[in-house]
Coordinates of all heavy atoms in Angstrom, one line a residue:
A1 N 59.4 60.0 -3.2 CA 60.1 61.2 -3.5 C 61.5 60.9 -3.9 O 62.0 61.6 -4.8 CB 60.0 62.1 -2.3
G2 N 62.2 60.0 -3.3 CA 63.6 59.7 -3.7 C 64.6 60.3 -2.8 O 64.4 61.2 -2.0
P3 N 65.9 59.8 -2.9 CA 67.0 60.2 -2.0 C 67.4 61.6 -2.2 O 68.0 62.2 -1.3 CB 68.1 59.2 -2.4 CG 67.8 58.8 -3.8 CD 66.3 58.8 -3.9
F4 N 67.1 62.3 -3.3 CA 67.5 63.7 -3.5 C 66.4 64.7 -3.2 O 66.6 65.9 -3.4 CB 68.0 63.9 -5.0 CG 69.2 63.0 -5.3 CD1 69.0 61.9 -6.1 CD2 70.4 63.3 -4.8 CE1 70.1 61.1 -6.4 CE2 71.5 62.5 -5.1 CZ 71.4 61.3 -5.9
A5 N 65.3 64.2 -2.7 CA 64.2 65.1 -2.4 C 64.5 66.0 -1.2 O 65.4 65.6 -0.3 CB 63.0 64.3 -2.1
S6 N 63.8 67.1 -1.1 CA 63.9 68.0 0.0 C 63.6 67.2 1.3 O 62.6 66.5 1.4 CB 63.0 69.2 -0.2 OG 63.1 70.0 0.9
G7 N 64.4 67.4 2.3 CA 64.2 66.7 3.6 C 64.8 65.3 3.6 O 64.7 64.6 4.6
S8 N 65.4 64.8 2.6 CA 66.0 63.5 2.5 C 67.2 63.5 3.5 O 67.9 64.5 3.8 CB 66.5 63.2 1.1 OG 67.4 62.1 1.1
K9 N 67.4 62.3 4.1 CA 68.5 62.2 5.1 C 69.9 62.0 4.3 O 70.9 62.0 5.0 CB 68.3 61.0 6.0 CG 67.1 61.2 6.9 CD 66.9 60.1 7.8 CE 65.6 60.4 8.7 NZ 65.4 59.3 9.6
L10 N 69.8 61.8 3.0 CA 71.0 61.6 2.2 C 72.0 62.7 2.4 O 73.2 62.5 2.5 CB 70.7 61.4 0.8 CG 71.9 61.2 -0.2 CD1 72.6 59.9 0.1 CD2 71.4 61.2 -1.6
F11 N 71.5 64.0 2.5 CA 72.4 65.1 2.6 C 72.2 65.9 3.9 O 72.5 67.0 4.0 CB 72.1 66.1 1.4 CG 72.5 65.5 0.1 CD1 71.4 65.1 -0.8 CD2 73.8 65.3 -0.3 CE1 71.7 64.6 -2.0 CE2 74.1 64.7 -1.5 CZ 73.0 64.4 -2.4
K12 N 71.8 65.1 4.9 CA 71.7 65.8 6.2 C 73.0 66.3 6.7 O 74.0 65.7 6.7 CB 71.2 64.7 7.3 CG 70.9 65.3 8.6 CD 70.3 64.3 9.5 CE 70.0 65.0 10.8 NZ 69.4 64.2 11.8
G13 N 73.0 67.6 7.0 CA 74.2 68.3 7.5 C 75.1 68.8 6.4 O 76.1 69.4 6.6
A14 N 74.6 68.6 5.1 CA 75.4 69.1 4.0 C 75.2 70.7 3.8 O 74.2 71.2 4.2 CB 75.0 68.5 2.7
N15 N 76.2 71.3 3.4 CA 76.1 72.8 3.1 C 76.0 72.9 1.6 O 76.8 72.4 0.8 CB 77.4 73.5 3.5 CG 77.6 73.4 5.0 OD1 76.8 74.0 5.8 ND2 78.6 72.7 5.5
W16 N 75.0 73.7 1.1 CA 74.8 74.0 -0.3 C 75.3 75.4 -0.5 O 74.7 76.3 0.0 CB 73.4 73.8 -0.7 CG 72.9 72.4 -0.5 CD1 72.3 71.8 0.6 CD2 73.1 71.3 -1.5 NE1 72.1 70.5 0.4 CE2 72.6 70.1 -0.9 CE3 73.7 71.2 -2.7 CZ2 72.6 68.9 -1.5 CZ3 73.7 70.0 -3.4 CH2 73.1 68.9 -2.8
V17 N 76.3 75.5 -1.3 CA 76.9 76.9 -1.5 C 76.8 77.2 -3.0 O 77.3 76.4 -3.9 CB 78.4 76.9 -1.1 CG1 79.0 78.3 -1.2 CG2 78.5 76.4 0.4
S18 N 76.3 78.3 -3.4 CA 76.2 78.8 -4.7 C 77.6 79.0 -5.3 O 78.5 79.4 -4.5 CB 75.4 80.1 -4.8 OG 75.6 80.7 -6.1
K19 N 77.8 78.8 -6.6 CA 79.1 79.0 -7.2 C 79.5 80.5 -7.2 O 80.6 80.8 -7.5 CB 79.1 78.4 -8.6 CG 78.3 79.2 -9.6 CD 78.4 78.6 -11.0 CE 77.6 79.3 -12.0 NZ 78.1 80.6 -12.4
I20 N 78.6 81.4 -6.9 CA 78.9 82.8 -6.9 C 79.1 83.3 -5.5 O 79.3 84.5 -5.3 CB 77.8 83.6 -7.6 CG1 76.4 83.5 -6.9 CG2 77.7 83.3 -9.0 CD1 75.4 84.4 -7.4
T21 N 79.2 82.4 -4.5 CA 79.5 82.8 -3.1 C 81.0 83.3 -3.0 O 81.9 82.6 -3.4 CB 79.2 81.6 -2.1 OG1 77.9 81.2 -2.3 CG2 79.5 82.0 -0.7
R22 N 81.2 84.4 -2.4 CA 82.5 85.0 -2.3 C 82.8 85.5 -0.9 O 81.8 85.9 -0.2 CB 82.6 86.2 -3.3 CG 82.4 86.0 -4.7 CD 83.6 85.4 -5.4 NE 83.4 85.4 -6.8 CZ 82.8 84.4 -7.5 NH1 82.3 83.3 -6.8 NH2 82.6 84.4 -8.8
G23 N 84.0 85.5 -0.5 CA 84.5 86.1 0.7 C 83.8 85.8 1.9 O 83.4 86.7 2.6
T24 N 83.6 84.6 2.3 CA 82.9 84.2 3.5 C 83.7 83.2 4.2 O 84.4 82.3 3.6 CB 81.5 83.7 3.2 OG1 80.9 83.3 4.5 CG2 81.4 82.5 2.3
N25 N 83.6 83.2 5.6 CA 84.3 82.2 6.4 C 83.3 81.1 6.8 O 83.6 80.2 7.6 CB 84.9 82.8 7.6 CG 86.1 83.7 7.3 OD1 86.9 83.3 6.4 ND2 86.3 84.8 7.9
D26 N 82.0 81.2 6.4 CA 81.0 80.3 6.8 C 81.2 78.9 6.4 O 80.6 78.0 7.0 CB 79.6 80.8 6.3 CG 79.2 82.1 6.9 OD1 79.7 82.5 7.9 OD2 78.2 82.7 6.3
Y27 N 82.1 78.6 5.4 CA 82.3 77.3 4.9 C 83.7 76.8 5.1 O 84.2 75.9 4.5 CB 81.8 77.2 3.5 CG 80.4 77.7 3.3 CD1 80.2 79.0 2.8 CD2 79.4 76.9 3.7 CE1 78.9 79.5 2.7 CE2 78.1 77.4 3.6 CZ 77.8 78.7 3.1 OH 76.5 79.2 3.0
A28 N 84.5 77.5 6.0 CA 85.9 77.2 6.2 C 86.1 75.8 6.8 O 87.2 75.3 6.9 CB 86.5 78.3 7.0
H29 N 85.0 75.2 7.3 CA 85.1 73.9 7.9 C 84.8 72.8 6.9 O 85.1 71.6 7.2 CB 84.1 73.8 9.1 CG 82.7 73.8 8.6 ND1 82.1 75.0 8.2 CD2 81.7 72.8 8.4 CE1 80.8 74.7 7.8 NE2 80.6 73.4 7.9
C30 N 84.4 73.1 5.7 CA 84.0 72.1 4.7 C 85.2 71.3 4.2 O 86.2 71.9 3.8 CB 83.2 72.7 3.6 SG 81.6 73.4 4.1
S31 N 85.1 70.0 4.2 CA 86.2 69.1 3.8 C 86.0 68.4 2.4 O 86.9 67.9 1.9 CB 86.5 68.1 4.8 OG 85.4 67.3 5.0
H32 N 84.7 68.4 2.0 CA 84.4 67.7 0.7 C 83.6 68.7 -0.2 O 82.6 69.2 0.3 CB 83.5 66.5 1.0 CG 84.3 65.4 1.6 ND1 84.6 65.4 3.0 CD2 84.8 64.2 1.2 CE1 85.3 64.4 3.3 NE2 85.4 63.6 2.2
L33 N 84.1 68.9 -1.4 CA 83.5 69.9 -2.3 C 83.1 69.2 -3.6 O 83.9 68.4 -4.1 CB 84.5 71.0 -2.6 CG 85.1 71.7 -1.4 CD1 86.2 72.7 -1.8 CD2 84.1 72.4 -0.5
I34 N 82.0 69.6 -4.1 CA 81.6 69.1 -5.4 C 81.2 70.3 -6.3 O 80.3 71.0 -5.9 CB 80.3 68.1 -5.3 CG1 80.7 67.0 -4.4 CG2 79.9 67.7 -6.7 CD1 79.4 66.1 -4.0
Y35 N 81.9 70.5 -7.4 CA 81.7 71.6 -8.3 C 81.0 71.1 -9.5 O 81.7 70.4 -10.3 CB 83.0 72.3 -8.6 CG 82.9 73.7 -9.2 CD1 82.6 74.8 -8.4 CD2 83.0 73.9 -10.5 CE1 82.5 76.1 -9.0 CE2 82.9 75.1 -11.1 CZ 82.7 76.2 -10.3 OH 82.6 77.5 -10.9
L36 N 79.8 71.4 -9.7 CA 79.0 70.8 -10.8 C 79.0 71.6 -12.1 O 78.3 71.3 -13.0 CB 77.6 70.5 -10.4 CG 77.4 69.5 -9.2 CD1 76.0 69.5 -8.8 CD2 78.0 68.2 -9.6
Y37 N 79.8 72.7 -12.2 CA 79.7 73.6 -13.3 C 80.9 73.4 -14.3 O 82.0 73.0 -13.9 CB 79.7 75.0 -12.8 CG 78.6 75.4 -11.9 CD1 78.8 75.3 -10.6 CD2 77.4 75.7 -12.4 CE1 77.7 75.6 -9.7 CE2 76.3 76.0 -11.6 CZ 76.5 75.9 -10.2 OH 75.4 76.2 -9.4
D38 N 80.6 73.6 -15.6 CA 81.6 73.7 -16.6 C 81.5 75.2 -17.0 O 80.8 75.6 -17.9 CB 81.3 72.8 -17.8 CG 82.4 72.8 -18.8 OD1 83.4 73.5 -18.6 OD2 82.3 72.2 -19.8
Q39 N 82.2 76.0 -16.2 CA 82.1 77.5 -16.3 C 82.6 78.0 -17.6 O 83.7 77.6 -18.1 CB 82.9 78.1 -15.1 CG 82.7 79.5 -15.0 CD 81.4 79.9 -14.4 OE1 80.9 79.3 -13.4 NE2 80.7 80.9 -14.9
L40 N 81.8 78.9 -18.2 CA 82.3 79.5 -19.5 C 82.0 81.0 -19.3 O 81.1 81.5 -18.6 CB 81.4 79.0 -20.7 CG 81.6 77.5 -21.0 CD1 80.5 77.1 -22.0 CD2 83.0 77.2 -21.5
L41 N 82.9 81.8 -20.0 CA 82.7 83.2 -20.1 C 81.4 83.5 -20.8 O 81.2 83.0 -21.9 CB 83.9 83.9 -20.7 CG 84.0 85.4 -20.7 CD1 84.0 86.0 -19.3 CD2 85.2 85.9 -21.5
H42 N 80.6 84.4 -20.3 CA 79.4 84.8 -21.0 C 79.7 85.4 -22.4 O 80.6 86.2 -22.5 CB 78.6 85.8 -20.1 CG 77.2 86.0 -20.6 ND1 76.9 86.7 -21.7 CD2 76.0 85.5 -20.1 CE1 75.5 86.7 -21.9 NE2 75.0 86.0 -20.9
L43 N 79.0 85.0 -23.4 CA 79.2 85.5 -24.7 C 79.2 87.0 -24.9 O 80.1 87.5 -25.6 CB 78.2 84.8 -25.7 CG 78.3 85.2 -27.2 CD1 79.6 84.8 -27.7 CD2 77.1 84.7 -27.9
F44 N 78.3 87.7 -24.2 CA 78.2 89.1 -24.3 C 79.4 89.8 -23.7 O 79.9 90.9 -24.1 CB 76.9 89.7 -23.8 CG 75.7 89.3 -24.6 CD1 74.7 88.5 -24.1 CD2 75.7 89.7 -26.0 CE1 73.6 88.2 -24.8 CE2 74.6 89.3 -26.7 CZ 73.5 88.6 -26.2
V45 N 79.9 89.2 -22.6 CA 81.1 89.8 -22.0 C 82.3 89.6 -22.9 O 83.1 90.5 -23.1 CB 81.4 89.1 -20.6 CG1 82.7 89.5 -20.0 CG2 80.2 89.4 -19.6
A46 N 82.5 88.4 -23.5 CA 83.6 88.2 -24.4 C 83.5 89.1 -25.6 O 84.5 89.7 -26.0 CB 83.5 86.7 -24.9
R47 N 82.3 89.3 -26.1 CA 82.1 90.3 -27.2 C 82.5 91.7 -26.8 O 83.1 92.4 -27.6 CB 80.6 90.2 -27.7 CG 80.4 90.8 -29.0 CD 79.0 90.6 -29.5 NE 78.7 89.2 -29.7 CZ 77.5 88.7 -29.8 NH1 76.4 89.5 -29.6 NH2 77.2 87.4 -30.0
W48 N 82.1 92.1 -25.6 CA 82.4 93.5 -25.2 C 83.9 93.6 -25.0 O 84.5 94.7 -25.3 CB 81.7 93.7 -23.8 CG 81.9 95.1 -23.3 CD1 81.3 96.3 -23.7 CD2 82.8 95.5 -22.2 NE1 81.8 97.3 -23.0 CE2 82.7 96.9 -22.1 CE3 83.6 94.7 -21.4 CZ2 83.4 97.5 -21.1 CZ3 84.4 95.4 -20.5 CH2 84.3 96.8 -20.3
L49 N 84.6 92.6 -24.5 CA 86.0 92.6 -24.3 C 86.8 92.4 -25.7 O 88.0 92.6 -25.7 CB 86.5 91.5 -23.4 CG 86.0 91.7 -21.9 CD1 86.3 90.5 -21.1 CD2 86.7 92.9 -21.3
K50 N 86.0 92.1 -26.7 CA 86.6 91.8 -28.0 C 87.6 90.7 -27.9 O 88.7 90.7 -28.5 CB 87.2 93.0 -28.6 CG 86.2 94.1 -28.9 CD 86.8 95.3 -29.6 CE 85.7 96.3 -30.0 NZ 85.6 97.4 -29.2
D51 N 87.3 89.7 -27.1 CA 88.2 88.5 -26.9 C 87.3 87.3 -26.7 O 86.8 87.1 -25.6 CB 89.1 88.8 -25.8 CG 90.2 87.7 -25.6 OD1 90.1 86.6 -26.3 OD2 91.1 87.9 -24.8
N52 N 87.1 86.5 -27.7 CA 86.3 85.3 -27.5 C 87.2 84.0 -27.6 O 86.8 83.0 -28.1 CB 85.2 85.2 -28.6 CG 84.1 84.2 -28.3 OD1 83.9 83.9 -27.1 ND2 83.4 83.8 -29.3
T53 N 88.4 84.1 -27.1 CA 89.4 83.0 -27.2 C 89.1 82.0 -26.1 O 88.6 82.3 -25.0 CB 90.8 83.5 -27.1 OG1 91.0 84.2 -25.8 CG2 91.2 84.5 -28.2
R54 N 89.6 80.8 -26.3 CA 89.5 79.7 -25.4 C 90.3 80.0 -24.1 O 89.9 79.7 -23.0 CB 89.9 78.4 -26.0 CG 89.9 77.2 -25.1 CD 88.5 76.8 -24.8 NE 88.5 75.7 -23.9 CZ 88.1 74.5 -24.2 NH1 87.7 74.2 -25.5 NH2 88.1 73.5 -23.3
S55 N 91.5 80.7 -24.3 CA 92.3 81.0 -23.2 C 91.7 81.9 -22.2 O 91.8 81.8 -21.0 CB 93.7 81.5 -23.7 OG 93.5 82.7 -24.4
L56 N 91.0 82.9 -22.7 CA 90.3 83.8 -21.8 C 89.1 83.1 -21.1 O 89.0 83.3 -19.8 CB 89.7 85.0 -22.6 CG 88.9 86.0 -21.7 CD1 89.8 86.7 -20.6 CD2 88.2 87.1 -22.6
S57 N 88.4 82.3 -21.7 CA 87.3 81.5 -21.1 C 87.9 80.6 -20.1 O 87.3 80.4 -19.0 CB 86.5 80.8 -22.2 OG 85.4 80.2 -21.6
D58 N 89.0 79.9 -20.4 CA 89.6 79.0 -19.4 C 90.1 79.8 -18.2 O 90.0 79.3 -17.0 CB 90.7 78.2 -20.1 CG 90.3 77.2 -21.0 OD1 89.0 76.9 -21.0 OD2 91.1 76.6 -21.7
A59 N 90.7 80.9 -18.4 CA 91.2 81.7 -17.3 C 90.1 82.2 -16.4 O 90.2 82.1 -15.2 CB 92.0 82.9 -17.8
Y60 N 89.0 82.6 -17.0 CA 87.8 83.0 -16.2 C 87.3 81.8 -15.4 O 87.0 82.0 -14.2 CB 86.8 83.6 -17.2 CG 85.4 83.8 -16.5 CD1 85.2 84.9 -15.7 CD2 84.4 82.9 -16.7 CE1 84.0 85.1 -15.0 CE2 83.2 83.1 -16.1 CZ 83.0 84.2 -15.2 OH 81.8 84.4 -14.6
A61 N 87.2 80.7 -16.1 CA 86.6 79.5 -15.4 C 87.5 79.1 -14.2 O 87.0 78.8 -13.1 CB 86.5 78.3 -16.4
L62 N 88.8 79.2 -14.4 CA 89.7 78.8 -13.3 C 89.6 79.7 -12.1 O 89.6 79.3 -11.0 CB 91.1 78.7 -13.8 CG 92.2 78.3 -12.8 CD1 91.9 76.9 -12.3 CD2 93.6 78.3 -13.5
T63 N 89.6 81.0 -12.4 CA 89.5 82.0 -11.3 C 88.2 81.8 -10.5 O 88.2 81.9 -9.3 CB 89.6 83.5 -11.8 OG1 88.5 83.7 -12.7 CG2 90.9 83.7 -12.4
E64 N 87.1 81.5 -11.2 CA 85.8 81.3 -10.5 C 85.9 80.1 -9.6 O 85.4 80.1 -8.5 CB 84.7 81.1 -11.5 CG 84.3 82.3 -12.3 CD 83.6 83.4 -11.4 OE1 82.6 83.0 -10.8 OE2 84.1 84.5 -11.3
L65 N 86.5 79.0 -10.1 CA 86.7 77.8 -9.4 C 87.6 78.0 -8.2 O 87.2 77.5 -7.0 CB 87.2 76.7 -10.3 CG 87.5 75.3 -9.6 CD1 86.3 74.7 -8.9 CD2 88.1 74.3 -10.6
I66 N 88.7 78.6 -8.3 CA 89.6 78.9 -7.2 C 89.0 79.7 -6.1 O 89.1 79.4 -4.9 CB 90.9 79.5 -7.7 CG1 91.7 78.6 -8.6 CG2 91.8 80.0 -6.5 CD1 92.9 79.2 -9.4
Q67 N 88.2 80.7 -6.5 CA 87.6 81.5 -5.5 C 86.6 80.7 -4.7 O 86.4 80.8 -3.5 CB 86.8 82.7 -6.1 CG 87.8 83.8 -6.6 CD 87.0 84.9 -7.2 OE1 86.1 85.4 -6.6 NE2 87.4 85.4 -8.4
W68 N 85.9 79.8 -5.4 CA 84.9 79.0 -4.7 C 85.5 78.0 -3.8 O 85.1 77.8 -2.6 CB 84.0 78.3 -5.8 CG 82.9 77.5 -5.3 CD1 81.7 77.9 -4.9 CD2 82.9 76.1 -5.0 NE1 80.9 76.9 -4.5 CE2 81.6 75.7 -4.5 CE3 83.8 75.1 -5.2 CZ2 81.2 74.4 -4.2 CZ3 83.4 73.8 -4.9 CH2 82.2 73.5 -4.4
V69 N 86.6 77.3 -4.2 CA 87.3 76.4 -3.4 C 87.9 77.0 -2.2 O 88.0 76.5 -1.1 CB 88.4 75.6 -4.3 CG1 89.3 74.8 -3.4 CG2 87.7 74.7 -5.3
W70 N 88.4 78.3 -2.4 CA 89.0 79.0 -1.3 C 88.1 79.2 -0.1 O 88.6 79.4 1.1 CB 89.6 80.3 -1.8 CG 90.5 81.0 -0.8 CD1 90.2 82.1 0.0 CD2 91.8 80.5 -0.4 NE1 91.3 82.3 0.8 CE2 92.3 81.4 0.6 CE3 92.6 79.5 -0.8 CZ2 93.6 81.3 1.1 CZ3 93.9 79.4 -0.3 CH2 94.3 80.3 0.7
N71 N 86.8 79.1 -0.3 CA 85.9 79.2 0.9 C 85.9 78.1 1.8 O 85.3 78.1 2.9 CB 84.4 79.4 0.3 CG 84.2 80.8 -0.2 OD1 84.7 81.8 0.2 ND2 83.3 80.8 -1.3
S72 N 86.6 77.0 1.4 CA 86.6 75.8 2.2 C 87.8 75.8 3.2 O 88.5 76.8 3.3 CB 86.8 74.5 1.3 OG 88.1 74.5 0.8
R73 N 88.1 74.7 3.8 CA 89.2 74.6 4.8 C 90.5 74.7 4.2 O 91.5 74.7 4.9 CB 89.0 73.4 5.7 CG 89.2 72.1 5.0 CD 88.8 71.0 6.0 NE 89.5 69.7 5.6 CZ 89.6 68.7 6.4 NH1 88.9 68.7 7.6 NH2 90.2 67.6 6.1
V74 N 90.6 74.6 2.9 CA 92.0 74.7 2.2 C 92.6 76.1 2.6 O 93.9 76.1 2.7 CB 91.8 74.6 0.7 CG1 91.3 75.8 0.0 CG2 93.2 74.2 0.1
R75 N 91.9 77.1 2.9 CA 92.4 78.4 3.3 C 93.2 78.3 4.6 O 94.0 79.1 4.9 CB 91.3 79.4 3.4 CG 90.4 79.2 4.5 CD 89.4 80.4 4.8 NE 88.6 80.7 3.6 CZ 87.9 81.8 3.5 NH1 87.9 82.6 4.5 NH2 87.2 82.0 2.5
N76 N 92.9 77.2 5.4 CA 93.6 77.0 6.7 C 94.7 76.0 6.5 O 95.2 75.5 7.5 CB 92.6 76.6 7.7 CG 91.6 77.7 8.0 OD1 91.9 78.8 8.0 ND2 90.3 77.3 8.2
G77 N 95.0 75.6 5.3 CA 96.1 74.6 5.1 C 95.7 73.2 5.3 O 96.6 72.3 5.5
Q78 N 94.4 73.0 5.4 CA 93.9 71.6 5.7 C 93.5 70.9 4.4 O 93.1 71.6 3.4 CB 92.7 71.6 6.6 CG 93.0 72.2 8.0 CD 91.8 72.3 8.8 OE1 90.7 72.7 8.4 NE2 91.9 71.9 10.1
P79 N 93.7 69.6 4.3 CA 93.3 68.9 3.1 C 91.8 68.8 2.9 O 91.0 69.0 3.8 CB 93.9 67.4 3.4 CG 93.8 67.3 4.9 CD 94.1 68.7 5.4
L80 N 91.5 68.6 1.6 CA 90.1 68.5 1.2 C 89.9 67.5 0.1 O 90.9 67.2 -0.6 CB 89.4 69.9 0.9 CG 90.0 70.6 -0.3 CD1 89.3 70.3 -1.5 CD2 89.9 72.1 0.0
T81 N 88.7 67.1 -0.1 CA 88.4 66.3 -1.3 C 87.5 67.1 -2.2 O 86.5 67.7 -1.8 CB 87.6 65.0 -0.8 OG1 88.4 64.3 0.1 CG2 87.2 64.2 -2.0
L82 N 88.0 67.2 -3.5 CA 87.3 68.0 -4.5 C 86.9 67.1 -5.6 O 87.7 66.4 -6.2 CB 88.2 69.1 -5.0 CG 87.7 70.0 -6.1 CD1 86.5 70.8 -5.7 CD2 88.8 71.0 -6.5
Y83 N 85.6 67.1 -6.0 CA 85.1 66.4 -7.1 C 84.7 67.3 -8.2 O 83.9 68.2 -8.0 CB 83.9 65.5 -6.6 CG 83.3 64.7 -7.8 CD1 84.0 63.9 -8.6 CD2 81.9 64.9 -8.1 CE1 83.4 63.2 -9.6 CE2 81.3 64.2 -9.1 CZ 82.1 63.4 -9.9 OH 81.5 62.7 -10.9
L84 N 85.3 67.2 -9.4 CA 85.0 68.0 -10.5 C 84.6 67.0 -11.7 O 85.4 66.5 -12.4 CB 86.2 68.8 -10.9 CG 86.8 69.8 -9.9 CD1 88.2 70.2 -10.3 CD2 85.8 70.9 -9.7
P85 N 83.3 66.8 -11.9 CA 82.8 65.9 -12.9 C 83.2 66.4 -14.3 O 83.3 65.6 -15.3 CB 81.3 65.8 -12.7 CG 80.9 66.9 -11.9 CD 82.2 67.4 -11.1
S86 N 83.3 67.7 -14.5 CA 83.7 68.3 -15.8 C 85.1 68.0 -16.1 O 86.0 68.5 -15.4 CB 83.4 69.8 -15.9 OG 84.0 70.4 -17.0
S87 N 85.4 67.3 -17.2 CA 86.8 67.0 -17.5 C 87.6 68.3 -17.8 O 88.8 68.4 -17.5 CB 86.9 66.0 -18.7 OG 86.3 66.6 -19.8
R88 N 86.9 69.3 -18.4 CA 87.6 70.6 -18.7 C 88.0 71.3 -17.4 O 89.1 71.7 -17.2 CB 86.6 71.5 -19.5 CG 87.2 72.8 -19.7 CD 86.3 73.7 -20.6 NE 86.6 75.1 -20.5 CZ 86.0 76.0 -19.8 NH1 85.0 75.6 -19.0 NH2 86.4 77.2 -19.7
M89 N 87.0 71.4 -16.4 CA 87.3 72.1 -15.2 C 88.4 71.3 -14.4 O 89.3 71.9 -13.8 CB 86.0 72.2 -14.4 CG 85.0 73.1 -15.0 SD 85.6 74.8 -15.3 CE 85.6 75.4 -13.6
R90 N 88.3 70.0 -14.4 CA 89.3 69.2 -13.7 C 90.7 69.4 -14.3 O 91.7 69.5 -13.6 CB 88.9 67.7 -13.8 CG 89.7 66.8 -12.9 CD 89.1 65.4 -12.8 NE 88.7 64.8 -14.1 CZ 87.5 64.6 -14.6 NH1 86.4 65.0 -13.9 NH2 87.3 64.1 -15.8
G91 N 90.7 69.4 -15.6 CA 92.0 69.7 -16.3 C 92.6 71.0 -16.0 O 93.8 71.2 -15.8
L92 N 91.8 72.0 -15.9 CA 92.2 73.4 -15.6 C 92.8 73.4 -14.2 O 93.8 74.0 -13.9 CB 91.1 74.4 -15.7 CG 90.6 74.7 -17.2 CD1 89.3 75.5 -17.1 CD2 91.7 75.4 -18.0
M93 N 92.1 72.8 -13.2 CA 92.5 72.8 -11.9 C 93.8 72.0 -11.7 O 94.7 72.4 -11.0 CB 91.4 72.2 -11.0 CG 91.8 72.2 -9.5 SD 92.3 73.8 -8.8 CE 90.8 74.2 -7.9
E94 N 93.9 70.8 -12.3 CA 95.1 70.0 -12.3 C 96.3 70.7 -12.8 O 97.4 70.7 -12.3 CB 94.9 68.6 -13.0 CG 94.0 67.7 -12.3 CD 93.6 66.5 -13.1 OE1 93.9 66.4 -14.3 OE2 93.0 65.5 -12.5
E95 N 96.1 71.4 -13.9 CA 97.2 72.2 -14.6 C 97.6 73.3 -13.7 O 98.8 73.5 -13.5 CB 96.7 72.7 -15.9 CG 97.8 73.4 -16.7 CD 97.4 74.0 -18.0 OE1 96.4 73.4 -18.6 OE2 97.9 75.0 -18.5
W96 N 96.7 74.0 -13.0 CA 97.0 75.1 -12.1 C 97.8 74.6 -10.9 O 98.8 75.2 -10.5 CB 95.7 75.8 -11.8 CG 96.0 77.0 -10.9 CD1 96.5 78.2 -11.2 CD2 95.8 77.1 -9.5 NE1 96.6 79.0 -10.1 CE2 96.2 78.3 -9.0 CE3 95.2 76.2 -8.5 CZ2 96.0 78.7 -7.7 CZ3 95.1 76.6 -7.2 CH2 95.5 77.8 -6.8
V97 N 97.3 73.5 -10.3 CA 97.9 72.9 -9.1 C 99.3 72.4 -9.4 O 100.2 72.6 -8.6 CB 97.0 71.8 -8.5 CG1 97.8 71.0 -7.4 CG2 95.7 72.4 -7.9
S98 N 99.5 71.8 -10.5 CA 100.8 71.3 -10.8 C 101.8 72.3 -11.3 O 103.0 72.1 -11.4 CB 100.7 70.1 -11.8 OG 100.3 70.6 -13.1
G99 N 101.3 73.5 -11.7 CA 102.1 74.5 -12.3 C 102.7 75.4 -11.2 O 103.6 76.1 -11.2

């Protein structure tokens, strides 16, 4: 089955949280986060807003990421490890943190 199969010991004790999880304290103890998405604004939403610019899509992506990260222990002022494999998402977060 492999190391990523259901029931594998590789992720024993890991919490799997959807990117749409909002406003919960259930993950305030989590110290390591992996965000696997390169979030984009849905085309129909951009069309409805009459704004299909990169800046709107980037702003949307960043707000989604920040909300997701906020569910972790960072809300308590504790350090965490965040892995963002998407260079775009990583750049957005780095720019926001340094700004």
Side-chain angles (χ1 to χ4, degrees):
F4 299 106
S6 177
S8 166
K9 293 181 182 180
L10 179 65
F11 297 108
K12 186 175 182 179
N15 295 294
W16 296 95
V17 183
S18 168
K19 70 178 180 71
I20 60 171
T21 301
R22 303 278 189 273
T24 178
N25 291 322
D26 293 345
Y27 307 101
H29 66 285
C30 293
S31 61
H32 291 74
L33 309 173
I34 302 170
Y35 194 81
L36 298 175
Y37 301 94
D38 185 3
Q39 188 74 45
L40 298 169
L41 184 63
H42 194 284
L43 178 61
F44 291 121
V45 173
R47 196 177 293 162
W48 182 78
L49 292 171
K50 296 183 174 101
D51 188 350
N52 197 21
T53 61
R54 176 71 183 250
S55 61
L56 178 63
S57 187
D58 285 351
Y60 171 75
L62 182 60
T63 60
E64 290 290 303
L65 176 58
I66 291 168
Q67 287 183 50
W68 185 83
V69 169
W70 192 252
N71 286 326
S72 72
R73 70 187 204 168
V74 74
R75 69 171 58 194
N76 298 320
Q78 296 177 316
L80 61 92
T81 300
L82 175 61
Y83 176 58
L84 299 167
S86 164
S87 60
R88 176 177 164 262
M89 295 300 289
R90 190 170 48 254
L92 291 172
M93 180 58 103
E94 287 172 348
E95 184 179 334
W96 181 75
V97 168
S98 67

